[in-house]
Amino acid sequence: MKGKIVRRIFSLSCATIFVLLLTGCNPTAGATEYEVIYPSGYSRDSYAYDEKSPIEGSSCCLQWEKADDYEKTYNYDIHILNENGSVLYSYPDAGSKAMRGSVREDGKTWVCSEHWTAPHHNGYVEGWLKESDLLLIDLSDGELLFQAKAGENEFYITSFGTRCYFYLPGKQESEKLFGLIKIPAENATIYCRDTSDWAQKHTVYTFDYVAEPDIDTSDGVKTRVKFYISENRLKVAWTSFEPVGNEHWEYLEKKAYEIPIAENADERAKSAGEAS
């Protein structure tokens, strides 16, 4: 029994030292990480460095490749490959090392190319998203049907029809002009943009927190938000990486939010129709 206690203390001490070392040399230490989990089971997080990634709902996949002028621009091209690995279509200067794709109901494909600046990670660290490129592509002929950008820290989750859904972290209360102007805090939200009016943000859900919900992560070394995507809803789960015994560690779910998106989309469409 004594030996088990000693090993547990040693394991926890090593984990603590490791975290402290990371904190000293890693500016992202302590930041919340993201993970997106698709219905197929494929997931994407900050440690995914694959050159190829599957297009959810399709036998095709995405591949990034350095652009011809990469040494000057640091741009990447997007290749769409068929199931045999042959290049079907290419989109110059639109790619990145963090890309995701999924086929929507009518067979058209949404591709998100994310531009992160987090060191020691391939993205998916809160606060380090510079911008994203969203492309809607017809896989039957490669036609680019729509292309637009999402701004800083607008984290793309999924699409439903012509609507793209994003998670935006909250903002703490701040001041301007030496405290004369107080800017209230803003809670984290999920909102969508539609291809018909991309500049407009339509709030879908407002969370009950600014930075993170009221959860106990005292036994963990890092926090991760997991976005589970299904046909008509999202599950946003806050987890903490903690010891579970026998020197094993897992992400333990602390709080989860179930958010319908198809219903919200239908309600907005109905309201727009009544207004017209």
Side-chain angles (χ1 to χ4, degrees), residues 93-107:
D93 302 326
S96 72
K97 285 191 174 182
M99 295 192 296
R100 289 179 281 134
S102 60
V103 177
R104 70 182 195 183
E105 312 85 70
D106 60 1

Side-chain angles (χ1 to χ4, degrees), residues 78-95:
I78 296 176
H79 293 325
I80 293 182
L81 312 181
N82 64 15
E83 56 187 358
N84 298 318
S86 300
V87 177
L88 291 176
Y89 315 112
S90 296
Y91 305 89
D93 302 326

Side-chain angles (χ1 to χ4, degrees), residues 110-139:
W110 277 105
V111 173
C112 179
S113 171
E114 300 161 333
H115 305 278
W116 298 84
T117 59
H120 312 299
H121 299 77
N122 191 24
Y124 300 86
V125 181
E126 188 167 281
W128 294 83
L129 178 58
K130 182 180 178 182
E131 65 178 15
S132 301
D133 289 293
L134 277 298
L135 300 85
L136 181 60
I137 298 169
D138 187 340
L139 283 185

Side-chain angles (χ1 to χ4, degrees), residues 28-34 124-127 211-212 222-225 238:
T28 64
T32 298
E33 296 181 356
Y34 294 158
Y124 300 86
V125 181
E126 188 167 281
E212 67 177 41
K222 57 183 176 179
T223 305
R224 174 174 289 192
V225 186
W238 280 79

Side-chain angles (χ1 to χ4, degrees), residues 220-262:
V221 296
K222 57 183 176 179
T223 305
R224 174 174 289 192
V225 186
K226 296 189 176 187
F227 299 89
Y228 294 89
I229 300 170
S230 61
E231 184 177 355
N232 59 3
R233 67 180 50 243
L234 302 172
K235 177 183 175 182
V236 180
W238 280 79
T239 67
S240 176
F241 194 56
E242 301 180 5
V244 294
N246 296 324
E247 300 182 6
H248 292 293
W249 292 67
E250 292 181 6
Y251 284 99
L252 302 181
E253 187 173 299
K254 299 294 183 174
K255 189 170 184 178
Y257 303 81
E258 297 279 352
I259 304 165
I261 55 174

